Amino acid sequence: MSEQTTNVNLDAEETSAQEEATTVERCLSFQVDDLILFLSTDYIVEIVNDYPITPLPMVPSFVKGMINLRGQILPVLDMRLCMDKPPAEYTGKTCVIRLDIDSAPLCIVIDSVCQVLDIDFKEVRPIPVKRQQKLLNGMIDLGDGKVMMSFDCNVLLEKRY
Amino acid sequence: MDNGMEAMLETYLYETNSLLDALDELLVNDEKIGDFSSDDVNEIFRSMHTIKGSSAMMEFNSLATIAHHIEDLFFYIRDKGIESLDSEHKKELFDLMFRSGDYLRSEVQKVEEGSPLSAEAEIDSFASEINAFLKKISNTADEAPEETADETPAPEEKSAAPGMPEDPDAAAFLHIYLEEGSGMENLYAFMIINALQDAFVFRCYPPDVETNPDTSAEIIENGFYVAFDSREDVEQAESMLKSQAHIRSYEILENPGKKTAAPAPAASDVKTQEAPPAKQEPPVSDSKPAAAPAKAPAAVPAKAHAPVKQNLISVNVMKLDSLLDIVGELVITESMVTSAPELNQLSRDSFDNFMKSARQLRKLTDDLQDIAMSLRMVPISGVFQKMNRIVRDMKQKLNKDVRLIIEGENTEMDKNIVDSIQDPIMHIVRNSMDHGIEETQDERIRAGKDPQGTLILAATHTSSEVVITVTDDGYGMDPAKLLAKASEKGLLTKPAEEYTKKEALNLIMLPGFSTNQTVTEFSGRGVGMDVVKKNIESVGGTFALDSELGSGTTVTMRIPLTLAIMDGMKVTVGRSIFTIPIANIMQSFKITTDEIIYDDYGNEMVARMDSFYPIVRLHRFFNLETEVENLEDGILLWVEANDRSYCIFVDQLIGEQQVVVKPFPTYLNSFELKNFGINGCTILGDGSISIILDVLGLYGAAVNEK
């Protein structure tokens, strides 16, 4: 415990120095409509493209259907629709990301993948607006004027959006 | 409890249960003949010995004690020959054995449930019952009761070598040291003795080495002795020991106390087995040439017995399921590869070559699929044998003379299904015994029937289902009586005169219908045929009843071979492909506009075979876009499930296919798609997903809520 506190202190003193290992996570950043989101790669299994999506009747519209990924049938959720954004045509840039949240596999559709980067979760600030997106639980300023939102994929399982 | 212990317990339960099942089967068969064959006596003796040993190992004392007493009893019988018992005793013996079997089973069940085993006193009273019987038969056999003296001679303390037991008959001893620190010395000793037992006559010291945990300290310290009557046996046994695991070392000792043979030096040769337990390598080079020739003959008996125990392994069903899944994928992937459009770009020669290999691959995957499917298949005999027992018990309790005939017990079915149909079959058999067969023989004779009732339990295969019938030649059901009873209970939905015979018989399957006035021990416990029917339907089967007043009743159950695979009809609606179980489809047909009948709400109906059926348009119900909106353009499927009958309107039929049923991903469970008639999905040959419709669920959602 004492070690941790000293580390935090160190970080506070010299901000550019090597960050503390436990709060830094490798994240994938991606775009949905005009938002740039990031998600820890711990949740991400792979990026799958070009699998035909079989539509499923009697489900909410954000459930686009199912895909057959090498024999495993996975549900596909459209993030635009989950966040009440206008739907968009799927293009070559559209990506399907396969997630594994608490060993429940599912896929999300996003507009495009940006990059993989390390993010220190200590620097993620809560969103100061009241009526925030339920799927987002924080934001971070990257310093170059860009702001990224932390994507809370656990909410996906609770279906409260 | 650590993992190893759990695995051991699992093995123990599996083994003990299968021994008890075998015992039950054997007893029922023997009781029919009214006699034990000497083979069976040996068999019972052996299985009790095994149960005793392993139970003691697991420290389930009640089991061990009872098994031990039965073992003693059968040791006596084996010794004296079964002929020494008169028929009265045999009958008593059967009864005693059935009760012992039940007792052991109930104890095993307690072990499974983790509840405490029976108290000492209870065990003792049961054990003394067995002993009393033993005493009784040993007295009448007017021989001095020397029962078990042979098996467990008390070792006397003084002996030549330190710890070497006194046994004047033995030619030589094998002195076996077990591996150190295993903590399971008794078990290992038991395994070794069990292996030797099949081939030789011998005695071991301490006598209860396999069962008495108290001896383990002594075994660790001093090893244990196995005494043989002849020198030859010792040598053969020695070579068998080499294939046994967990032995640290062993030595052959000549018996200094043997009456006839000249006293020999105690330790004639000592060998150390260095092979690790799992491997069966022969130990260090033979120092004694005489041992080498002895090996060959010894190998024969050892081999003859080994396969009986080793050609079966128990596998977790989960593993089989995932194997089946993968094989299903493999088959689909194979057809994706062989039908890939890119193949058309190949030159003619290379295409031919490709197709040749592809055919070979197809054959192999087909074989693989067959084998994978067959792994889950088990014969139905296990369930049928249990009925044997039930019939026997009820025969005695109800004082009815009934013969149970079993046909087709080797019919194989999916393990899950076999498990789930056991209760329904049991219920039907009980019903037949209780209500079906006439109360007295006189009654049967007056009706011109064989005084002995007959109950036939039969299973046969058709291409996709197993048909199980339970037939009795008893009273048969009286439709008039059933109708009277139903109207008394207020179960009739139309005037009694309008009921056909079949409909009247089916009344018995309504909830709350039971013709028996009083509750008996075996049936009439408030659950009736409606539960049976529900159980059968839950595994996708159908249930039918046929009865002729005065000549008996037949219950027919049709059950699909497996739940994982079914025959489906692929249909399209817009861009979606749905699969409808073939078993539900009665007919498919096209109609013209003037055949459509509308009710006052505008619901569409169609007449088929003098009845009217509602039409469910899949595209409307599921909100799918399609160009086929006109009923004349598409096709109607007349489906039926569980007496619910209606027509489904689809764009077109694609064809029939066997499909592997896959459950929906867990994420989708919360949408309760089952309520909308969506049952699961399957992957088609081209890799696309098709939704499997549940005809009954769709009816509930689409017709009832209209």
Side-chain angles (χ1 to χ4, degrees), chain B residues 47 118 128 135 195 201 215 226 272 311 331 356 396-397 399 404 473 505 510 513 555 590 598 622 685:
Chain B
S47 49
S118 299
S128 57
K135 213 162 264 164
V201 179
T215 57
V226 183
T272 307
N311 62 3
V331 173
K356 214 180 269 172
Q396 292 203 330
K397 288 259 163 61
N399 209 7
L404 178 68
D473 63 348
L505 289 179
L510 289 175
F513 190 99
V555 176
K590 286 211 168 241
Y598 295 92
F622 286 141

Side-chain angles (χ1 to χ4, degrees), chain B residues 92-368:
Chain B
E92 230 173 293
L93 177 63
F94 276 120
D95 219 51
L96 185 67
M97 282 312 295
F98 275 120
R99 280 193 298 132
S100 315
D102 285 349
Y103 186 84
L104 291 174
R105 206 182 285 273
S106 71
E107 289 297 298
V108 171
Q109 204 166 359
K110 283 180 195 163
V111 171
E112 278 169 355
E113 289 162 359
S115 51
L117 299 177
S118 299
E120 291 275 325
E122 203 183 316
I123 308 167
D124 285 348
S125 76
F126 198 80
S128 57
E129 214 174 305
I130 302 175
N131 280 347
F133 180 72
L134 176 59
K135 213 162 264 164
K136 196 158 135 197
I137 58 172
S138 54
N139 279 343
T140 33
D142 67 55
E143 286 273 334
E146 48 169 353
E147 314 119 53
T148 55
D150 218 15
E151 203 207 5
T152 56
E156 285 163 37
E157 283 315 307
K158 62 172 185 79
S159 51
M164 194 199 257
E166 181 131 322
D167 190 333
D169 295 331
F173 296 104
L174 268 175
H175 192 182
I176 300 168
Y177 294 96
L178 295 169
E179 265 177 10
E180 275 171 351
S182 59
M184 296 198 282
E185 288 74 17
N186 287 105
L187 179 64
Y188 295 152
F190 169 68
M191 281 159 51
I192 293 164
I193 286 167
N194 224 7
L196 293 176
Q197 202 164 36
D198 290 339
F200 310 107
V201 179
F202 65 91
R203 296 167 295 280
C204 61
Y205 304 95
D208 48 357
V209 63
E210 332 103 89
T211 53
N212 186 352
D214 300 339
T215 57
S216 62
E218 194 189 328
I219 306 171
I220 299 169
E221 195 70 18
N222 299 325
F224 67 97
Y225 291 90
V226 183
F228 292 93
D229 284 346
S230 78
R231 189 64 223 200
E232 256 166 62
D233 278 355
V234 178
E235 280 162 14
Q236 292 189 11
E238 184 197 357
S239 59
M240 270 176 76
L241 279 184
K242 286 173 186 163
S243 67
Q244 284 290 323
H246 313 299
I247 297 175
R248 175 162 51 115
S249 70
Y250 62 90
E251 57 188 333
I252 298 175
L253 303 169
E254 297 294 341
N255 186 7
K258 187 167 165 69
K259 282 178 251 165
T260 50
S268 64
D269 63 354
V270 178
K271 289 181 190 174
T272 307
Q273 187 172 1
E274 286 162 346
K279 288 185 180 158
Q280 301 194 344
E281 279 166 5
V284 288
S285 63
D286 276 337
S287 56
K288 197 175 65 175
K295 253 188 212 162
V300 178
K303 253 183 205 149
H305 288 276
V308 180
K309 281 173 194 158
Q310 287 172 0
N311 62 3
L312 288 177
I313 55 169
S314 51
V315 180
N316 192 331
V317 178
M318 298 272 283
K319 284 187 186 170
L320 290 186
D321 285 347
S322 49
L323 176 70
L324 201 62
D325 270 358
I326 292 175
V327 171
E329 296 319 318
L330 185 68
V331 173
I332 288 160
T333 317
E334 183 240 38
S335 66
M336 277 164 75
V337 170
T338 49
S339 60
E342 289 84 354
L343 288 174
N344 295 332
Q345 294 159 17
L346 290 177
S347 72
R348 209 193 151 78
D349 271 0
S350 35
F351 184 76
D352 282 352
N353 276 337
F354 176 84
M355 284 321 282
K356 214 180 269 172
S357 319
R359 270 196 296 275
Q360 182 72 12
L361 181 65
R362 161 72 45 94
K363 190 188 168 305
L364 290 175
T365 47
D366 279 357
D367 287 355
L368 184 63

Side-chain angles (χ1 to χ4, degrees), chain A residues 52 54-60 62-63 65-68 70-75 77 103-106 156-157 159 161, chain B residues 329 575-576 578 621-624 662-668 670-671 673 676 678 681-683 687-691:
Chain A
T54 307
L56 193 62
M58 317 310 272
V59 289
F62 62 80
V63 180
M66 303 174 286
I67 59 168
N68 166 23
R70 297 181 289 274
Q72 204 182 2
I73 294 177
L74 304 172
L77 312 183
S103 61
L106 59 87
L156 282 179
L157 291 187
K159 304 179 188 73
Y161 28 86
Chain B
E329 296 319 318
R575 297 206 327 274
S576 302
F578 292 91
F621 181 66
F622 286 141
N623 268 328
L624 299 169
K662 285 179 173 283
F664 276 118
T666 46
Y667 175 82
L668 296 174
S670 58
F671 299 120
L673 292 168
F676 299 109
I678 297 175
C681 47
T682 186
I683 298 174
S688 62
I689 302 172
S690 166
I691 293 165

